[in-house]
Amino acid sequence: MLYSIVGTDFPDSLEKRMAARPAHVERLQRLIADGRLILAGPNPAIDSPDPGAAGFTGSLIVAEFDSLEQAQDWADQDPYVQQSVYQSVEVKPFHKALP
């Protein structure tokens, strides 16, 4: 089943985010290799694909897991959680209706 993982950043966490990014992306690459990642990306803090110093307010990941518990466990181990980039993370079942 698919699950959405929505992380919300702590204010002023851009430096921590950039430091943890390589490990975060490595985990996403493993989901890609397993054919389980549908989409992933950050939420810019301003209306721009490259927010620069404004940074990001969070991220969205949609991926396939065997259960909600497995998705939550995966999210809890994310480097952005471990390095205090994310202030909160919400994991929910997701049903892709379109396209």
Side-chain angles (χ1 to χ4, degrees), residues 20-32 74 79:
R21 187 174 187 278
H24 172 77
V25 171
E26 181 181 320
R27 293 179 84 236
L28 293 171
Q29 292 292 342
R30 288 194 298 255
L31 288 178
I32 291 170
W74 186 91

Side-chain angles (χ1 to χ4, degrees), residues 47-76:
D47 191 13
S48 172
D50 182 7
F56 301 91
T57 61
S59 303
L60 168 66
I61 298 166
V62 177
E64 184 178 343
F65 294 94
D66 291 335
S67 67
L68 178 58
E69 181 179 299
Q70 186 185 63
Q72 185 68 59
D73 288 345
W74 186 91
D76 290 344

